[in-house]
Amino acid sequence: MTTLTAPRRVILLLVILTALCAAVAATTSVGAVDIVFGLPLALLLPGAALIWAVDPRGLHVKGPERVMWSFGSSIGIVILGGLLLNLTGGLTRQHWLILTSAVVAVTAVAGWLRGARPVGEEDPGSTPEGEKPARWATTLSLRSVALLVAAVLVVSGALVLSQRTSAESSREHFVQAWILPQPTSDVFSVRAQLGLRNEEGNTEVLLIRVKVGSAGTSTRTVDLRDGQEWTHQLRRNPGEPISVTVAVASRPSTILDRVDLAKPS
């Protein structure tokens, strides 16, 4: 039975952790769970797999410096992968999980092949004759810690912003219009209230076309912020029908909403 070398054990652990985090993140919709299992995928696992692929026996990057490089590499991989996915129109949760897992898988294969040599067996020429291999560093400079904390804060903020952007993009966008006789119980009233509410997600200039009875159509524009309402009183002959259409001023032929106050029978 072949004994796994230390680098291969670490690489196997990285693959298992990546598979676990990706599986949970892909099947859950709970925000707290997403953060717990998403942060390792964004901040540690891809970069750690890359570092172990490049230097599986820790001959060049050691100790806390190795951990810091793992964080830095993960951030770079996530940013570059996000840009590539965005350019190809596939920046979704599923595609991001697939990309992250693929990076870990590819680098794990490379690290697995390079990590076959048992720990303690150094590369020829890696250290001068008679000189002991350098020990792992045991301390980090204040600057390195500050940079690491800043990187974590930046990525954490990006993840929060991503969640908010995702929620905003999945929100339904619409313009709501209504016509109510005034008072509402009098269908033969001589007044009616026209109302609009903008839920398009941003400020819109709306084009309103109003037709009262057999008279010609009148038009006007209203500038509404997202979530803002607007009302206007219309006059008519007793019980006269009213028809209203609403469109965005920049696209007048695209009707967003249409409402009618029919003539009472």
Side-chain angles (χ1 to χ4, degrees):
M1 182 176 178
T2 304
T3 302
L4 290 178
T5 62
R8 284 188 168 183
R9 287 197 296 270
V10 173
I11 290 169
L12 183 60
L13 178 62
L14 291 174
V15 172
I16 293 173
L17 289 176
T18 300
L20 174 64
C21 291
V24 174
T27 56
T28 184
S29 59
V30 180
V33 176
D34 283 344
I35 292 175
V36 170
F37 288 90
L39 281 177
L41 287 173
L43 293 178
L44 178 62
L45 295 174
L50 177 62
I51 296 302
W52 280 94
V54 173
D55 186 20
R57 290 179 296 280
L59 301 179
H60 307 290
V61 183
K62 312 174 191 303
E65 184 183 2
R66 193 176 184 88
V67 176
M68 186 171 176
W69 271 106
S70 297
F71 277 99
S73 301
S74 291
I75 293 170
I77 290 170
V78 168
I79 293 174
L80 179 59
L83 290 174
L84 293 175
L85 288 176
N86 188 52
L87 289 175
T88 58
L91 186 54
T92 64
R93 174 199 290 254
Q94 291 77 13
H95 289 165
W96 180 78
L97 291 174
I98 292 172
L99 175 65
T100 306
S101 301
V103 169
V104 174
V106 171
T107 53
V109 170
W112 184 273
L113 296 176
R114 299 192 63 191
R117 183 175 300 167
V119 175
E121 185 180 336
E122 306 294 341
D123 287 337
S126 60
T127 56
E129 185 177 355
E131 182 179 335
K132 294 182 179 180
R135 293 186 177 183
W136 281 29
T138 58
T139 60
L140 276 175
S141 67
L142 180 60
R143 180 183 177 185
S144 298
V145 173
L147 290 174
L148 181 58
V149 171
V152 172
L153 291 177
V154 168
V155 175
S156 299
L159 289 175
V160 172
L161 181 61
S162 175
Q163 290 285 339
R164 292 178 126 184
T165 304
S166 177
E168 177 63 25
S169 64
S170 61
R171 167 190 161 191
E172 185 177 0
H173 299 277
F174 62 92
V175 170
Q176 183 182 19
W178 64 87
I179 304 176
L180 299 173
Q182 298 292 305
T184 56
S185 58
D186 183 7
V187 295
F188 291 96
S189 66
V190 296
R191 291 182 303 153
Q193 183 193 73
L194 168 63
L196 289 179
R197 181 176 179 84
N198 176 26
E199 293 290 348
E200 284 289 299
N202 47 42
T203 300
E204 293 287 358
V205 179
L206 301 176
L207 177 65
I208 307 167
R209 299 185 181 94
V210 181
K211 181 177 176 60
V212 180
S214 58
T217 301
S218 62
T219 62
R220 67 182 300 164
T221 58
V222 177
D223 191 346
L224 292 181
R225 300 185 303 273
D226 181 44
Q228 185 179 6
E229 286 188 3
W230 171 86
T231 58
H232 178 68
Q233 295 293 322
L234 300 174
R235 298 193 64 84
R236 62 173 183 163
N237 293 325
E240 197 170 30
I242 302 175
S243 178
V244 176
T245 60
V246 183
V248 177
S250 60
R251 304 189 304 275
S253 60
T254 304
I255 304 301
L256 299 179
D257 200 2
R258 179 188 180 96
V259 288
D260 297 284
L261 184 59
K263 183 177 181 179
S265 55

